[in-house]
Amino acid sequence: MQSINQFIEHPLLAEKQVTLVIKREDLLHPFISGNKYRKLKYNLLAAQAENQHTILTFGGAYSNHIAATAYAAKEKGFKAIGVIRGEELESSWKTNATLKKAYDDGMRFKFISRSDYREKESDVFIDDLRNEFGQFYLVPEGGTNDLAIKGCEEIITKKDKEFDFICSSVGTGGTVSGLIKSSFLHQKVLGFSALKGGFLNDEIEKLVDNQRWQLVTDYYFGGYAKTSEELIHFINTFKEITSIPLDPIYTGKMIFGLFDMIKHDTFAVGTKIMAIHTGGLQGIAGMNSVLKKKNLPLLNI
Ligand SMILES: *Cc1c(COP(=O)(O)O)cnc(C)c1O
């Protein structure tokens, strides 16, 4: 499956004579957003091949990965279990748009404390889960494993050869690793970190097979899912100019960073850049409910 490449018209791009195209992976599927579609594809095929009937995975309260897994599991006829960070959600998850939708798609939850959540990859913890739920196919947090990276390699296609730079937001690093592996020899992949991830350089290095990449760490806005009025304003203005919605956790930070770099003449005249819209738009409702409580401006939907 291929998504469309959208040419972006914007005064800054015209002034700096830089070409920007956004690959609309967010439009791949109405509920399995962008890169999560790519990351789940081969995992669900593997689960089918193993004759598994249940998918179990992990995530936070607003997780794009939880939303995507719930829907994809339903579509392919699996049961789905989401192990969710935060015991306090046990009583309030019905007011959380992401979890409510995942539940309606058939996912069932196990809420655990933040300290248990940190142990979630341990053998003891997984064994306990198998005792509780029986057999399942485990998809790690954020969906990143070898099969996920294989799926993300398919984001870049032959027609993308004309670009000099490929840009993607980075959470766990799975998506950008797929892009790095399938990039063309003359291309450079820029990964924009969505969190304070000093560890991410080492992590990505372990997953890839070449040096055609760089991690950009100046635009994470204080941490994962942290935001600012400046970022919200940027996302709203970008949508007014281009009609493209960005999410505040990943793609908004990437495009903000990319425009800041373009403003500061990081790219030579004539450079052709492709940025991947990895989706994540389902998270806007949850972010707006948080912003509203803090009396901050909201994201235009
Ligand atoms: C999960 C996610 C990412 C990060 O992907 P990783 O493979 O974990 O680096 C980027 N953008 C969006 C919209 C996401 O939902």
Side-chain angles (χ1 to χ4, degrees):
M1 186 139 45
Q2 286 188 23
S3 52
I4 58 157
N5 285 351
Q6 185 170 347
F7 178 82
I8 307 301
E9 286 186 63
H10 191 285
L12 179 71
L13 300 169
E15 182 200 329
K16 301 291 186 183
Q17 298 180 53
V18 165
T19 299
L20 174 63
V21 158
I22 294 189
K23 190 182 266 299
R24 298 294 305 273
E25 292 276 299
D26 58 311
L27 300 177
L28 270 184
H29 188 286
F31 298 115
I32 311 170
S33 137
N35 65 340
K36 301 306 187 284
Y37 180 95
R38 303 287 186 183
K39 295 174 88 166
L40 284 166
K41 176 180 165 186
Y42 289 108
N43 275 294
L44 295 185
L45 287 172
Q48 267 164 353
E50 285 177 22
N51 213 3
Q52 299 276 5
H53 301 294
T54 303
I55 307 294
L56 181 142
T57 196
F58 306 95
Y62 302 104
S63 167
N64 296 328
H65 170 65
I66 287 292
T69 303
Y71 198 90
K74 175 172 86 167
E75 217 172 50
K76 302 284 183 211
F78 292 101
K79 288 183 199 155
I81 297 164
V83 179
I84 310 292
R85 180 179 59 231
E87 285 166 311
E88 73 285 357
L89 292 161
E90 182 97 59
S91 57
S92 62
W93 64 266
K94 283 186 183 136
T95 62
N96 174 299
T98 300
L99 296 179
K100 176 71 169 57
K101 172 82 171 74
Y103 182 89
D104 290 344
D105 288 333
M107 183 178 264
R108 293 299 172 260
F109 304 126
K110 178 180 174 68
F111 297 97
I112 63 175
S113 68
R114 282 164 177 75
S115 58
D116 282 353
Y117 197 81
R118 280 191 288 275
E119 300 300 317
K120 67 184 179 305
E121 317 268 308
S122 76
D123 290 345
V124 179
F125 193 83
I126 306 285
D127 280 348
D128 284 351
L129 288 173
R130 292 206 199 277
N131 286 335
E132 185 172 348
F133 296 110
Q135 281 288 340
F136 53 74
Y137 183 91
L138 189 143
V139 178
E141 182 182 35
T144 290
N145 57 15
D146 289 348
L147 291 176
I149 292 171
K150 178 177 168 185
C152 291
E153 288 177 34
E154 295 176 356
I155 295 173
I156 296 180
T157 67
K158 268 191 232 130
K159 71 178 196 298
D160 302 325
K161 201 168 181 175
E162 61 173 307
F163 297 102
D164 305 303
F165 288 88
I166 312 283
C167 300
S168 175
S169 176
V170 177
T172 61
T175 303
V176 81
S177 295
L179 295 170
I180 292 165
K181 290 179 82 170
S182 65
S183 61
F184 291 92
L185 288 177
H186 65 278
Q187 295 179 328
K188 184 156 186 187
V189 178
L190 298 179
F192 289 76
S193 185
L195 46 114
K196 188 176 176 177
F199 58 92
L200 274 172
N201 247 313
D202 292 349
E203 205 57 38
I204 295 168
E205 207 150 278
K206 275 187 251 162
L207 299 173
V208 301
D209 53 5
N210 69 67
Q211 307 279 318
R212 298 189 293 274
W213 61 281
Q214 190 183 329
L215 195 63
V216 181
T217 55
D218 298 327
Y219 304 103
Y220 63 86
F221 288 83
Y224 181 73
K226 298 243 173 15
T227 184
S228 75
E229 284 194 39
E230 190 187 16
L231 179 63
I232 306 278
H233 177 75
F234 175 85
I235 291 171
N236 285 339
T237 307
F238 188 81
K239 186 165 178 221
E240 271 166 36
I241 297 174
T242 66
S243 299
I244 299 180
L246 301 172
D247 83 294
I249 297 177
Y250 295 105
T251 55
K253 292 181 181 180
M254 167 186 66
I255 297 290
F256 182 102
L258 186 57
F259 270 60
D260 194 56
M261 290 167 74
I262 293 169
K263 211 180 287 170
H264 291 98
D265 298 310
T266 310
F267 303 100
V269 165
T271 302
K272 290 186 173 178
I273 302 169
M274 179 169 80
I276 314 297
H277 194 320
T278 41
L281 302 172
Q282 71 82 30
I284 290 179
M287 179 60 84
N288 271 346
S289 69
V290 173
L291 293 170
K292 204 169 172 184
K293 277 184 205 145
K294 294 184 182 166
N295 258 322
L296 289 168
L298 304 188
L299 292 151
N300 298 331
I301 299 177

